[in-house]
């Protein structure tokens, strides 16, 4: 839990030092203004080391809480762990990045604390600082779709959820499709998946969905939007985003099947 102790003007410690909940501290290094330094506890090395800079105390606290895993960043680690695990499912808290001397393009990888030492010769930034300076969206990265862990021997795909309206929207879409007299899906497998998802799809993400589940949601969403153009015009950016992520993951699942990769 994010328990700040020893808090005084210009200094705050996250957790009690020499206890398991200790995570580091933030400190203002300017007498006549604000420039906050964030120091994080590294359990592996046993050292509290400099992590990042921030303009305000609240920003510094957010960086440390996110780095410690006490605050969700809204981003996922991009490290591919294994065929059975897929990409690392943990929250990303930092970014390793470099500028390509050959092309001039910026290359960056989102990393969780466990994989934070990958590409240790690249520049490191806390995810909030990199986002503010360079811009980054949660769905960026992982070209061609993000593989999730195996579930009952079947590969899944990761779909990010970053708004509280997205899960209710998808569940409601599935229930509407199930209630129609005219069948929405051509296979009983899709119907079974729709019934399960309509009741069990969680509010929080990320979602780890099988190929069948992706296709089930995609078909229901596309038919709802095609039949009700007024609803489509009034769709929010959040529902557009979740529909686009489902479609992208579904297309990637199709390509992998065609290529015989899963």
């Amino acid at each position: 839990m994010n328990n700040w102790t020893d808090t005084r003007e210009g200094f705050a410690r996250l957790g009690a030092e020499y206890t398991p909940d200790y995570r580091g501290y933030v400190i203002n290094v300017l007498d006549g203004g604000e420039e906050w330094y964030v120091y994080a506890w590294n359990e592996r090395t046993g050292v509290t080391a400099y992590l990042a800079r921030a303009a305000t105390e609240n920003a510094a606290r957010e960086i440390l809480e996110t780095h410690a895993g006490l605050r969700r960043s809204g981003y996922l680690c991009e490290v591919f762990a294994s065929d059975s695990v897929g990409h690392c499912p943990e929250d990303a808290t930092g970014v390793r990045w470099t500028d390509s001397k050959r092309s001039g393009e910026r290359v960056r990888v989102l990393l969780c604390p466990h994989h934070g030492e990958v590409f240790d010769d690249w520049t490191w930034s806390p995810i909030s600082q990199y986002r503010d300076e360079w811009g980054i969206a949660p769905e960026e990265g992982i070209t061609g779709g993000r593989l999730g862990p195996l579930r009952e021997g079947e590969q899944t795909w990761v779909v990010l959820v970053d708004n509280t309206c997205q899960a209710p929207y998808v569940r409601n879409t599935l229930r509407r499709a199930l209630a129609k007299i005219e069948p929405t899906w051509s296979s009983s497998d899709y119907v079974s998946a729709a019934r399960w998802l309509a009741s069990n799809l969680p509010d929080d993400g990320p979602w780890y969905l099988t190929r069948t589940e992706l296709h089930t949601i995609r078909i229901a969403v596309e038919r709802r939007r095609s039949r009700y153009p007024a609803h489509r015009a009034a769709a929010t950016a959040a529902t557009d985003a979740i529909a686009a992520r489902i479609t992208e993951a579904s297309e990637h699942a199709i390509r992998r099947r065609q290529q015989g990769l899963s």
Side-chain angles (χ1 to χ4, degrees):
M1 58 182 175
N2 49 341
N3 179 28
W4 288 89
T5 63
D6 294 342
T7 301
R8 60 181 183 270
E9 185 177 357
F11 176 82
R13 181 181 282 119
L14 181 54
E17 200 170 9
Y18 307 115
T19 66
D21 68 343
Y22 177 63
R23 296 293 186 271
Y25 63 88
V26 299
I27 186 169
N28 184 17
V29 298
L30 294 182
D31 292 333
E34 284 193 273
E35 183 176 1
W36 290 81
Y37 281 16
V38 182
Y39 289 83
W41 167 254
N42 187 320
E43 188 175 357
R44 182 174 58 84
T45 63
V47 174
T48 302
Y50 171 79
L51 181 69
R53 269 189 320 191
T56 65
E57 181 176 1
N58 286 337
R61 289 189 181 214
E62 178 182 349
I63 289 172
L64 187 54
E65 289 176 359
T66 302
H67 181 76
L70 302 176
R71 182 195 293 255
R72 289 184 61 85
S73 67
Y75 301 83
L76 293 174
C77 180
E78 293 183 315
V79 171
F80 184 84
S82 69
D83 289 335
S84 60
V85 175
H87 286 88
C88 175
E90 299 299 323
D91 272 8
T93 59
V95 185
R96 290 279 184 191
W97 58 272
T98 184
D99 288 321
S100 172
K101 296 179 181 179
R102 183 170 301 176
S103 66
E105 295 182 354
R106 177 171 294 266
V107 180
R108 64 110 183 103
V109 179
L110 301 173
L111 300 169
C112 68
H114 178 72
H115 292 115
E117 304 303 321
V118 175
F119 306 121
D120 59 0
D121 57 332
W122 290 14
T123 303
W124 187 92
S125 296
I127 200 164
S128 58
Q129 180 177 316
Y130 186 95
R131 177 196 62 213
D132 294 342
E133 291 182 2
W134 301 102
I136 182 175
E139 64 270 23
E140 288 180 356
I142 308 301
T143 302
R146 170 185 250 278
L147 291 178
L150 293 176
R151 197 175 79 205
E152 298 179 357
E154 187 175 359
Q155 184 68 60
T156 60
W157 279 261
V158 180
V159 177
L160 292 174
V161 179
D162 56 9
N163 191 290
T164 56
C165 77
Q166 290 170 335
Y169 168 75
V170 172
R171 289 195 299 263
N172 182 54
T173 299
L174 292 169
R175 293 188 185 112
R176 289 164 63 104
L178 288 166
K180 289 184 178 299
I181 297 176
E182 179 185 349
T184 299
W185 302 278
S186 60
S187 168
S188 59
D189 289 342
Y190 293 154
V191 175
S192 297
R195 287 172 177 161
W196 188 89
L197 290 166
S199 301
N200 297 285
L201 195 67
D203 288 329
D204 299 324
W207 296 333
Y208 298 97
L209 302 174
T210 65
R211 181 188 293 109
T212 298
E213 291 167 347
L214 285 170
H215 297 344
T216 299
I217 298 173
R218 179 181 178 181
I219 291 169
V221 169
E222 288 180 348
R223 292 200 176 184
R224 178 179 180 179
R225 292 186 165 208
S226 66
R227 291 179 180 178
Y228 301 98
H231 166 80
R232 177 66 186 86
T236 66
T239 56
D240 280 343
I242 199 68
R245 292 169 197 165
I246 290 289
T247 299
E248 179 186 1
S250 173
E251 290 177 347
H252 184 248
I254 292 172
R255 288 196 298 272
R256 282 185 63 89
R257 185 170 190 174
Q258 293 172 340
Q259 296 165 357
L261 297 177
S262 64

